[in-house]
Amino acid sequence: MSPQSRDLEAKNRTIAAIFRISSLLTQQVGLDEILRSILISAEKELGFSASCLFLINDDREHLDCRMVRGFGEENESKAYRRPFHMHRHDCIETMAVKNGEVIYFEDSKNDSRATSIDHRITEKLKRGQIVYAPLTVKGKIIGCMGVNRPREGARISKSEIEAFTIFANQASIIIENSRSHEQLMAERNLNRSILESSPSGILTLDKKGIITAVNPEAARILRVDPDGILSMKIEEAEKNHRGLRVFGDIFRDHSSRTREADYAGEDGRQHSVEITVSPLKGEGGAEAGTLFLFKDQTEKKRIGEQIQRMSKLAAVGQLAAGISHEIRNPMMGIAATMELINDGMEPDHPQRRLLTKSMEEIGRVDHVIGELLSLAQPREMNPEPTDANRLIGDVAEFLSGLCRKKNIELVLDCNPRLPLVSMDRKAMREVVINVALNAIQSMMAKGAGTLTIATATLEQRLYSMEPGSARITIEDTGEGIPPEIRDRIFDPFFTTRPDGTGLGLYNCHRIIEAHNGAIFMEEGPVRGTRVHILLPATSTRGIS
């Protein structure tokens, strides 16, 4: 074959090889698969017997063997394990990278340029004719590629070396593109992992207010389906999801950066979140949107309120104990004196009626003092495993007549799989009736309403109560409790009724506390009030 024919054949093979590896640019395959395909093309299309490919390590000091073929499995394994040091190892591979030049050894065993390292490698791998070309992308060397042909094979021509150099340049572009794609995917996976693993809720909006990201914790806190709100404008999303209204308000008010916010969730319960707002930066540092980082503070806030309430009630109880004794003794002395005066009067004496009325009021004061004394004394409980559903049924029978009289519909919604609860049945009956009577009282002004008493199993930790605990909910459709007095509702002597003592709900709180439970109230889904009583379970299932 003439030299011209060999050159033409080499060019054709090069074009075929470049075409084959260029198709890798459009394929979603890993870097190792791309490197393997490049070496296979170098061997098949360019006519070499073995090949290898090295890439500079991220530390810029080592040259890693990333792919090698044709030198035997044992030798190839050693090559992967032993990278070259760019400064300590003087060999054809490091020379090609440092000098940025193509190096050809016609006889790798006897070439005068071969170093001691080259001789050892040639001896182990049985190398013959070798060519190494640097892998260069935009003037930056990223590694080198080498090919081998047996010593007894056809001599590697100048045109073949040029063809291999062109092939190596195209391979460089494909390798760098694959590495950039892998790096981009790694960054995306890292970002996704951060989003999915973050203990805080993360929600992002672009500059137009379109939702661009919602992580799992944000979806849990807000109780939304991320796929249902992604790419939706915040104004539209907040129409169907009440929790998102807080973020819409902050987005529209750019002066707000960090705040606590309360909102009624989809389940009607009050929720509290602490939100930190910051601008979302895009390429070049330009503002691309808004980042909301938030935490669910509902449980923390409720526990804090409960602890504060318990501390306040304990102080009130101690104060009440001291004051009660000081008042009761002189009151009893006054009552005894008035009885003596009353006994000495004629039956029809005009002042006798006033004395009798005064003694009745003293009796009322004595009753209040008795309740005051009970504030400082722990109430003795006699708990036993009880089906709360039966307790609710008993309470419903007691309330049914009053509800009919007041035009109030009584609805029971009891979970048949409710766990048994260790409770003092008499005390807990008192609690449910007291709360229910308050609910009925709140609806009387409207002349009608609905009283719902429901039981359920707690699905998530709430007020330090573990999942699986029992929950009793008393809900009314009354006027609701104004926000400004909601925090005082369990305080002793606080009442909105002219004839109330303000000790009913306080005693309910004490009874629940003695059961190691929790009681709290919140706004109902349509005004009104919900009171939740949480009690620890003693078994997995109640009596149906």
Side-chain angles (χ1 to χ4, degrees):
M1 183 181 293
S2 65
Q4 292 84 359
S5 298
R6 284 199 299 271
D7 289 346
L8 181 59
E9 183 182 356
K11 289 178 181 179
N12 289 335
R13 289 202 306 265
T14 303
I15 292 171
I18 290 175
F19 178 78
R20 178 191 289 270
I21 64 173
S22 295
S23 66
L24 297 171
L25 288 169
T26 60
Q27 298 179 24
Q28 298 296 323
V29 294
L31 179 60
D32 285 346
E33 185 62 31
I34 286 175
L35 298 181
R36 185 177 292 105
S37 297
I38 288 172
L39 295 190
I40 291 173
S41 292
E43 295 167 17
K44 287 185 176 180
E45 272 82 12
L46 302 184
F48 297 105
S49 61
S51 56
C52 55
L53 198 149
F54 293 81
L55 295 177
I56 297 176
N57 192 287
D58 290 339
D59 63 11
R60 307 297 298 176
E61 292 187 353
H62 291 87
L63 193 60
D64 296 332
C65 180
R66 289 299 304 269
M67 191 62 60
V68 59
R69 288 173 49 86
F71 293 110
E73 185 176 344
E74 183 180 351
N75 290 324
E76 291 168 8
S77 296
K78 288 180 180 178
Y80 290 130
R81 295 196 303 267
R82 298 176 182 175
F84 293 115
H85 193 281
M86 293 292 296
H87 305 295
R88 292 201 299 265
H89 293 147
D90 187 15
C91 56
I92 191 171
E93 290 84 1
T94 57
M95 282 191 290
V97 172
K98 287 190 288 187
N99 298 335
E101 298 176 353
V102 177
I103 303 175
Y104 169 49
F105 286 180
E106 183 177 354
D107 182 356
S108 58
K109 187 175 183 179
N110 299 308
D111 195 291
S112 61
R113 295 169 295 171
T115 66
S116 58
I117 295 176
D118 290 328
H119 286 305
R120 288 200 303 270
I121 296 174
T122 294
E123 185 67 28
K124 288 181 180 179
L125 303 185
K126 310 300 181 187
R127 293 190 300 192
Q129 306 173 67
I130 55 176
V131 182
Y132 274 81
L135 298 172
T136 307
V137 180
K138 296 180 180 179
K140 176 184 176 183
I141 298 176
I142 63 172
C144 66
M145 180 178 175
V147 289
N148 179 78
R149 184 176 289 172
R151 188 179 292 106
E152 62 275 9
R155 182 177 179 275
I156 300 175
S157 66
K158 182 179 179 181
S159 61
E160 287 180 311
I161 295 174
E162 291 176 351
F164 172 65
T165 304
I166 295 171
F167 177 84
N169 288 335
Q170 183 65 18
S172 303
I173 296 172
I174 295 169
I175 292 168
E176 190 64 14
N177 180 76
S178 176
R179 292 207 300 184
S180 298
H181 181 264
E182 281 196 347
Q183 183 178 3
L184 178 61
M185 292 305 297
E187 290 176 356
R188 286 182 178 177
N189 290 337
L190 176 62
N191 290 338
R192 185 180 296 112
S193 178
I194 292 172
L195 280 173
E196 292 179 352
S197 306
S198 173
S200 299
I202 298 174
L203 184 143
T204 62
L205 306 178
D206 68 11
K207 296 181 74 173
K208 295 180 180 179
I210 295 175
I211 299 172
T212 53
V214 183
N215 77 332
E217 181 63 7
R220 184 196 68 80
I221 294 173
L222 300 173
R223 288 168 174 76
V224 298
D225 176 15
D227 294 335
I229 62 173
L230 279 175
S231 302
M232 184 182 291
K233 274 203 164 188
I234 187 67
E235 290 86 353
E236 293 298 318
E238 63 183 300
K239 291 178 182 178
N240 299 321
H241 303 283
R242 287 186 277 186
L244 290 172
R245 294 174 190 170
V246 175
F247 301 93
D249 292 342
I250 297 175
F251 178 73
R252 289 183 286 272
D253 178 13
H254 295 287
S255 63
S256 180
R257 284 300 174 219
T258 300
R259 58 175 289 191
E260 283 192 5
D262 297 325
Y263 65 92
E266 305 302 315
D267 55 359
R269 290 177 51 216
Q270 288 295 121
H271 298 269
S272 179
V273 289
E274 183 182 61
I275 306 171
T276 300
V277 190
S278 61
L280 190 65
K281 301 294 184 180
E283 293 184 7
E287 187 170 338
T290 305
L291 169 67
F292 297 96
L293 188 70
F294 56 98
K295 287 189 175 182
D296 188 353
Q297 299 290 83
T298 307
E299 181 72 358
K300 180 180 177 180
K301 186 174 181 180
R302 285 175 174 166
I303 291 175
E305 291 172 351
Q306 189 178 32
I307 292 173
Q308 185 179 22
R309 187 187 305 131
M310 290 169 63
S311 300
K312 183 164 56 175
L313 297 183
V316 170
Q318 292 176 356
L319 179 64
I323 293 177
S324 298
H325 285 292
E326 295 300 321
I327 295 176
R328 175 171 271 182
N329 290 336
M331 285 297 298
M332 291 303 98
I334 293 171
T337 301
M338 294 181 73
E339 284 184 5
L340 289 173
I341 295 173
N342 186 58
D343 291 342
M345 284 184 175
E346 296 294 330
D348 56 350
H349 194 284
Q351 301 298 324
R352 192 181 185 98
R353 186 177 61 83
L354 294 177
L355 280 173
T356 302
K357 183 65 175 176
S358 298
M359 290 170 64
E360 288 176 355
E361 292 301 315
I362 289 174
R364 184 170 178 270
V365 171
D366 185 59
H367 174 71
V368 172
I369 291 174
E371 291 190 330
L372 273 173
L373 286 172
S374 71
L375 295 179
Q377 299 171 356
R379 181 162 176 173
E380 185 177 349
M381 297 292 165
N382 298 299
E384 58 182 3
T386 304
D387 179 14
N389 286 336
R390 288 188 175 177
L391 175 70
I392 298 304
D394 179 37
V395 170
E397 288 183 11
F398 175 81
L399 296 172
S400 58
L402 178 61
C403 287
R404 283 194 300 270
K405 183 179 178 181
K406 301 298 181 182
N407 196 27
I408 292 172
E409 180 184 7
L410 178 59
V411 177
L412 301 185
D413 182 12
C414 296
N415 182 355
R417 298 180 62 84
L418 193 72
L420 293 176
V421 177
S422 180
M423 68 167 72
D424 183 316
R425 184 182 175 89
K426 181 179 178 181
M428 198 57 62
R429 183 177 185 273
E430 178 185 332
V431 170
V432 178
I433 289 176
N434 200 319
V435 174
L437 289 175
N438 280 344
I440 292 171
Q441 183 77 21
S442 72
M443 293 183 283
M444 285 172 55
K446 298 171 68 174
T450 300
L451 174 66
T452 303
I453 306 178
T455 61
T457 301
L458 203 60
E459 296 180 354
Q460 60 186 16
R461 185 179 175 87
L462 184 63
Y463 266 107
S464 299
M465 303 295 294
E466 297 298 330
S469 300
R471 181 176 69 189
I472 301 172
T473 301
I474 298 108
E475 180 181 329
D476 65 64
T477 57
E479 294 298 323
I481 300 173
E484 60 270 17
I485 68 170
R486 195 172 294 154
D487 292 340
R488 302 175 58 197
I489 209 70
F490 290 106
D491 290 357
F493 310 111
F494 178 79
T495 179
T496 58
R497 292 161 52 184
D499 57 344
T501 63
L503 292 173
L505 287 178
Y506 168 73
N507 279 322
C508 290
H509 185 277
R510 292 182 66 219
I511 292 170
I512 299 300
E513 183 183 354
H515 283 78
N516 297 316
I519 181 171
F520 65 98
M521 61 177 57
E522 60 189 5
E523 185 180 353
V526 184
R527 299 195 70 174
T529 304
R530 277 178 174 173
V531 178
H532 298 285
I533 299 168
L534 309 180
L535 299 167
T538 59
S539 69
T540 57
R541 186 178 299 181
I543 304 168
S544 61

